[in-house]
Amino acid sequence: MISPLLRVVGLTHNFGGLRALEQVTFSVPEGAVFGLIGPNGAGKTTLFNCVTGVFPPSRGDIWLAEVPLTGLPPHAVAALGISRTSQNLRPWRDMTVLENVLVGCHLLGSCGLLGSALRLPACRREERRLRELALQCLERVHLADHAHDLVGELPLGGQRMVELTRALAANPRLLMLDEPAAGLHTRETQDLGDLIASLREQGLTVFLIEHDMSLVMSVCDRVAVLDHGELIAEGTPREVQADRRVLEAYLGGAAE
Amino acid sequence: MSRGWGLVLFAVAALAFGLLVRGPYYLNIAVFICIHGLVALGLGLLMGGAGQISLGHAGFYGLGAYASAILTTRWGVNPWLAMGLGALATGLVAALVGMPTLRLRGHYLAMGTLGLGAIIQIVFNQADQITEGPSGITAIPYLSIAGLPLSTDHRFFFLVWPLLLGAMLLGGNLLDSRLGRALRALGENEGAAAAAGVDVPRAKLAVFVLSAVFASVAGSLYAHYLTYVSPSPFGFAFSIQLLVMVILGGEKSLWGPLVGAGVLTVLHQVLAGAAHQFPFFDGLETVAYGVILVLFLIFRPQGLAAPLRKPVSTSPPGPFPGAEREPVPQASSPAAEIAALPSDGSEPAAPGVKP
Amino acid sequence: MEWSALVQYVLTGITQGAIYALLAVGFNLVYSATGIINFAQGEFVMLGGMLAVTCYSFLHLPLWLSAILPIGVVMLVGAGIHQLAIRPLRHAHLVTLIMATVGLSVALRGLAKVLWGADSYPLPAFSNVDPVALAGASVDPQSLWVMGVAAVTGTALTLFFRYSLTGRAMTACAARPLAACLAGIRVERMNMWAFALAGGVGAIAGAVLAPIALPSFDVGTSLALKGFCAAILGGIGNNAGALLGGLLVGLLESLGAGYISSGYKDAIAFLVLLIVLVLRPQGLLNVTMRRDES
């Protein structure tokens, strides 16, 4: 039995009177690619936001390995080893590709205001180390040639790649991707699938929300299905695909 | 290293100006450009870096000036030490206001500094036991270096421009550092910066305190230059002038605030001169500030100092997956905003309250 | 402690508080619709007062007309400001918009100085009757006018938002701009209305205040700052809060001036502002913080 890296227990979240998540319980095994699917409005992004501390859940607990995450602010969650991308949290368009990745390396450094402003030797060394690291990350995804371009000038596929690289630069234990394939075309989606598979090979745990079913079915080890804030199924892609309630949820969602 | 060259150029120009120009009128303007430039530089780091506004920077400027004035005239503290103590105290005051307000999202810092600035000026006016009230403190000693008192415009100019240069160097280093990138990142998208592990309130607080310290040092310089302080220059009106300087020059560039300080200080001199001859110019000067500010916001939001065009990337466009695609437009039209709404049950991140 | 003095302070406080409440309502109108903190709100009040004085003393119009005419004019000014400076910036960052209102406020103040110079001008009280005695204190009839007009304005706005088509459309825009847009409401036009109404409310405050505090070109800034403190205290965007905040700031100021120190009177509102920001940034009457930024 593989130990779970992320455990979500009884997670409930309300927006005013609206119940977005209801008693959601599941766990993401270490080293797995875990997919979260569900119709629009099912609460998937809300779940991501609760896990990463964007807003504290109304009830329930979240654990990363043995460390409780509940109630921590986003930067503290990130410091524990969770990197995420998101539909809304786009890369910083006014910064260069390299700078974007360097922001991703934020947690790997420690220089503060005075050290940076005075360029103390320790901070210069740290800066050099981070730059090398960021460039290595960019080389791995073949973006090194574009290191000094503004991200806003890249095509969508390139921007998405920068964001992924930024998230990976922090060397996370858990990578959370919110609809990484949205807006990409087939070819790009395949490349993305290959990348996720190779990350899995390297032992990284990936937790992703995705609408593209072919991607989910090809890369995920396990899939959970949310509908109206409730977890209605969890299992291997094949099991989930055959689940009657899942089919109903999707058909019902389509009929709305 | 274009920024390095810029600083060298600035140093050469300032040196030449200082050596060639002898008239106290021009030197006086130049000194004030440097002093205002120092405050504006700090405010620019806050606005351009962290995307926050302060409506009370005149108050921090005043705290530095009064700290120097009071410590040197009442207790005979060494002026340089007084400058340092003033900066320390101002930094502490800034931290006290910044800590609660910067935890919150939105523009609570603007509100907090607005209140703080107003209170500071009222205290200058009212606490006449210490501050001599509206009439102000006179006979503040000159700063001196190695026994040489900086008592002329000329000598003082040779103190302020190297100090400003040093501050710009610090600011430039900061913007290019880990913290600087974090600040720029959170200025553009706070949530994303936090997700990357940036402690957003702390980063904002750091740059806010730094900008208050810059203002305080500039205030101390002001006090020792004029050897006289009174409450009137440290009010809301000057806080607004500082904002105009930063926006006029462009808060995203290191040079912007200095350029803005230069333009506005000269403009003030010219308009004040004109107002001497034509009294109705007095009001027109104020109108001009307001109109310039609005026009710049509408027609040149990047400010005077920003490059005319975006830097064109030097490397040729390479093979991206999907390189033929256009970048997604930013959600601005209603339709785009609708498209950008989270498709989930989550609350829309922004209710789109833009007019 | 003398009772008559206390009563006098309370009456002064309520009068001043009613003015602050009107300013806070003006802030709320623009804030609810657009998320902008309109720094020109104080200049609306200044314009209302100056125009009333101009109509009465220079154009020799009857007093009642002199008080009412500026309302329309300043509403036009408000709408004009929106069309000329705010609307072109509709895609800009919120900070930029706030800065634009700062610029407008400065420009209006300068313009007033050019037009009217630096003098203060008197306006006679609305009712030519003697002060009324109350529990040993004397009530200036103009104070009653201030309180009455503030109450009527508040009620009229509430009715406007509840029952008129434009008012309901504005409410819809403020609550859910996208949904309102989908329902065919023209958000831009509603925002213009918000600025116009804020101008109108400002002018009302300016005219009714003029007989008590002589208007001059620079009265706007300090009034706006105090009104802003009142709005934050009550909870920005909340009109009941504006009333409560205005009265509290007015009372604290008047009692503080009376019993503690008249010199620090002006600092009281700002001290209240700082305390509110630390302890309850959403204000007294708002339950949660409004999330006005992405």
Side-chain angles (χ1 to χ4, degrees):
Chain A
M1 174 78 200
I2 310 161
S3 63
L5 180 62
L6 180 75
R7 274 193 301 140
V8 173
V9 182
L11 188 67
T12 299
H13 192 72
N14 304 320
F15 286 114
L18 189 79
R19 180 145 294 189
L21 292 172
E22 173 74 41
Q23 289 289 336
V24 176
T25 300
F26 66 93
S27 48
V28 177
E30 178 121 44
V33 175
F34 191 94
L36 182 65
I37 62 171
N40 282 338
K44 303 184 295 292
T45 299
T46 306
L47 193 147
F48 260 38
N49 284 338
C50 284
V51 170
T52 52
V54 174
F55 23 75
S58 307
R59 260 182 291 121
D61 286 298
I62 305 158
W63 306 74
L64 183 72
E66 292 309 314
V67 188
L69 298 182
T70 326
L72 291 181
H75 67 88
V77 172
L80 288 171
I82 297 185
S83 273
R84 78 175 279 192
T85 70
S86 139
Q87 300 163 274
N88 301 334
L89 310 183
R90 301 225 187 89
W92 298 283
R93 299 164 56 93
D94 289 345
M95 295 167 79
T96 66
V97 170
L98 179 64
E99 285 174 328
N100 263 270
V101 180
L102 278 168
V103 176
C105 297
H106 186 84
L107 286 165
L108 305 177
S110 60
C111 264
L113 181 81
L114 284 181
S116 310
L118 298 171
R119 298 197 65 187
L120 298 180
C123 286
R124 278 150 91 166
R125 269 198 304 276
E126 179 187 295
E127 178 74 14
R128 218 170 311 137
R129 181 171 61 88
L130 292 184
R131 269 176 195 267
E132 266 166 33
L133 221 92
L135 276 170
Q136 280 170 15
C137 291
L138 284 172
E139 264 161 30
R140 221 173 299 149
V141 294
H142 313 294
L143 271 172
D145 289 345
H146 297 270
H148 298 289
D149 293 357
L150 288 181
V151 170
E153 291 171 352
L154 297 185
L156 179 67
Q159 293 193 17
R160 192 61 56 79
M161 213 57 193
V162 171
E163 217 197 334
L164 249 167
T165 315
R166 193 263 303 148
L168 284 170
N171 210 0
R173 295 178 74 184
L174 174 67
L175 179 67
M176 293 174 60
L177 307 172
D178 192 348
E179 295 201 30
L184 302 187
H185 51 221
T186 328
R187 180 62 220 297
E188 293 168 327
T189 307
Q190 277 169 10
D191 289 347
L192 180 74
D194 293 346
L195 180 71
I196 293 173
S198 79
L199 291 173
R200 182 181 178 280
E201 296 283 295
Q202 294 162 31
L204 184 68
T205 312
V206 182
F207 180 19
L208 80 159
I209 294 175
E210 191 45 69
H211 276 300
D212 187 318
M213 279 310 140
S214 61
L215 180 69
V216 171
M217 295 305 153
S218 64
V219 300
C220 290
D221 301 299
R222 291 188 75 78
V223 176
V225 188
L226 269 185
D227 184 34
H228 291 103
E230 288 182 57
L231 195 74
I232 55 170
E234 202 218 310
T236 63
R238 196 173 289 266
E239 287 164 6
V240 165
Q241 228 169 357
D243 192 291
R244 196 177 49 81
R245 289 183 66 189
V246 175
L247 287 173
E248 268 171 19
Y250 269 89
L251 289 175
E256 264 169 20
Chain B
M1 287 270 77
S2 61
R3 180 176 288 153
W5 281 116
L7 290 174
V8 170
L9 209 68
F10 171 75
V12 171
L15 194 67
F17 185 88
L19 291 176
L20 297 175
V21 177
R22 292 275 155 187
Y25 178 78
Y26 293 105
L27 278 168
N28 176 273
I29 294 180
V31 167
F32 268 106
I33 291 178
C34 291
I35 292 178
H36 291 165
L38 184 56
V39 194
L41 172 67
L43 188 58
L45 288 175
L46 178 70
M47 289 168 69
Q52 290 283 319
I53 23 182
S54 160
L55 295 173
H57 252 53
F60 297 131
Y61 182 53
L63 279 182
Y66 267 85
S68 280
I70 293 167
L71 289 175
T72 54
T73 57
R74 289 195 161 243
W75 287 294
V77 177
N78 175 294
W80 296 105
L81 181 63
M83 187 186 281
L85 290 175
L88 196 69
T90 308
L92 275 176
V93 171
L96 278 179
V97 174
M99 254 187 274
T101 48
L102 287 172
R103 260 188 340 207
L104 310 165
R105 283 188 123 170
H107 295 287
Y108 287 87
L109 182 73
M111 306 169 190
T113 48
L114 175 76
L116 181 71
I119 291 176
I120 288 173
Q121 203 194 18
I122 292 167
V123 171
F124 289 164
N125 267 312
Q126 296 299 326
D128 42 14
Q129 308 269 320
I130 314 168
T131 64
E132 312 286 337
S135 53
I137 300 173
T138 50
I140 302 166
Y142 289 111
L143 286 166
S144 55
I145 295 175
L148 177 76
L150 305 176
S151 54
T152 65
D153 294 305
H154 199 242
R155 288 179 191 167
F156 203 82
F157 179 65
F158 274 93
L159 169 70
V160 284
W161 77 254
L163 271 180
L164 177 62
L165 189 72
M168 300 212 26
L169 207 60
L170 293 185
N173 286 344
L174 182 66
L175 284 181
D176 273 342
S177 71
R178 168 174 173 272
L179 182 62
R181 283 186 299 267
L183 284 169
R184 280 148 66 204
L186 73 88
E188 198 174 324
N189 188 333
E190 224 169 85
V198 177
D199 185 341
V200 171
R202 213 175 127 186
K204 283 181 183 170
L205 187 67
V207 72
F208 174 57
V209 169
L210 181 76
S211 80
V213 165
F214 275 18
S216 170
V217 170
S220 294
L221 290 172
Y222 171 96
H224 290 298
Y225 175 59
L226 293 186
T227 67
Y228 164 70
V229 293
S230 72
S232 56
F234 306 114
F236 185 60
F238 189 63
S239 288
I240 298 300
Q241 274 192 41
L242 288 167
L243 285 182
V244 178
M245 289 176 194
V246 173
I247 287 184
L248 188 72
E251 79 272 21
K252 294 277 180 203
S253 93
L254 187 64
W255 289 98
L258 178 61
V259 171
V263 172
L264 218 68
T265 307
V266 171
L267 189 72
H268 178 76
Q269 284 293 330
V270 172
L271 293 177
H276 240 41
Q277 290 174 318
F278 314 100
F280 71 93
F281 249 79
D282 207 17
L284 277 187
E285 183 189 352
T286 322
V287 179
Y289 288 151
V291 171
I292 290 172
L293 179 55
V294 175
L295 289 181
F296 262 78
L297 289 172
I298 296 176
F299 295 110
R300 197 171 161 73
Q302 70 276 43
L304 283 171
L308 279 172
R309 277 187 303 162
K310 273 191 170 180
V312 183
S313 56
T314 43
S315 48
F320 278 122
E324 69 274 19
R325 282 183 178 229
E326 286 296 302
V328 257
Q330 275 182 316
S332 50
S333 65
E337 277 184 30
I338 292 161
L341 272 179
S343 51
D344 225 349
S346 64
E347 219 178 31
V353 278
K354 291 190 177 163
Chain C
M1 192 202 272
E2 273 197 57
W3 276 111
S4 59
L6 178 64
V7 174
Q8 194 70 58
Y9 295 144
V10 168
L11 284 170
T12 313
I14 293 176
T15 310
Q16 201 60 40
I19 295 289
Y20 296 156
L22 281 178
L23 270 140
V25 167
F27 279 114
N28 283 347
L29 279 167
V30 170
Y31 182 85
S32 303
T34 63
I36 298 172
I37 292 153
N38 173 26
F39 276 89
Q41 188 62 36
E43 271 57 45
F44 290 159
V45 179
M46 178 272 292
L47 280 179
M50 293 305 259
L51 287 169
V53 167
T54 309
C55 290
Y56 182 76
S57 301
F58 297 96
L59 305 177
H60 304 293
L61 297 178
L63 186 58
W64 63 269
L65 190 59
S66 302
I68 290 174
L69 208 57
I71 300 173
V73 178
V74 182
M75 281 183 83
L76 283 177
V77 171
I81 277 180
H82 175 264
Q83 295 304 91
L84 287 177
I86 304 299
R87 206 167 157 240
L89 284 169
R90 61 190 174 281
H91 299 317
H93 212 268
L94 199 58
V95 180
T96 311
L97 286 154
I98 295 172
M99 288 304 305
T101 68
V102 170
L104 290 164
S105 135
V106 172
L108 284 175
R109 202 180 321 139
L111 202 63
K113 198 176 182 189
V114 173
L115 289 176
W116 289 292
D119 301 328
S120 306
Y121 296 90
L123 190 73
F126 288 6
S127 314
N128 193 12
V129 293
D130 290 330
V132 188
L134 180 85
S138 76
V139 188
D140 181 0
Q142 189 65 27
S143 291
L144 296 176
W145 270 103
V146 171
M147 297 174 206
V149 165
V152 169
T153 308
T155 316
L157 277 176
T158 310
L159 293 177
F160 171 77
F161 282 114
R162 197 163 296 164
Y163 296 111
S164 82
L165 201 59
T166 311
R168 288 164 71 163
M170 284 176 74
T171 313
C173 278
R176 285 259 175 260
L178 284 171
C181 181
L182 291 175
I185 298 171
R186 288 155 75 179
V187 178
E188 285 301 315
R189 175 156 298 187
M190 295 306 129
N191 290 347
M192 186 187 81
W193 267 103
F195 270 88
L197 283 177
V201 172
I204 292 173
V208 79
L209 179 66
I212 298 179
L214 311 186
S216 66
F217 78 99
D218 58 355
V219 293
T221 315
S222 78
L223 278 176
L225 296 182
K226 306 277 182 62
F228 179 69
C229 295
I232 299 291
L233 175 60
I236 191 146
N238 185 323
N239 278 338
L243 185 65
L244 179 68
L247 290 178
L248 277 176
V249 170
L251 280 172
L252 286 172
E253 219 177 71
S254 164
L255 292 173
Y259 292 114
I260 301 168
S261 150
S262 61
Y264 285 101
K265 165 181 166 257
D266 288 325
I268 291 170
F270 301 110
L271 205 59
V272 169
L273 172 70
L274 287 181
I275 294 170
V276 168
L277 287 181
V278 173
L279 296 182
R280 199 176 159 85
Q282 74 271 38
L284 290 177
L285 293 194
N286 279 358
V287 181
T288 52
M289 308 235 331
R290 185 180 152 134
R291 304 174 55 193
D292 55 4
E293 275 200 302
S294 57

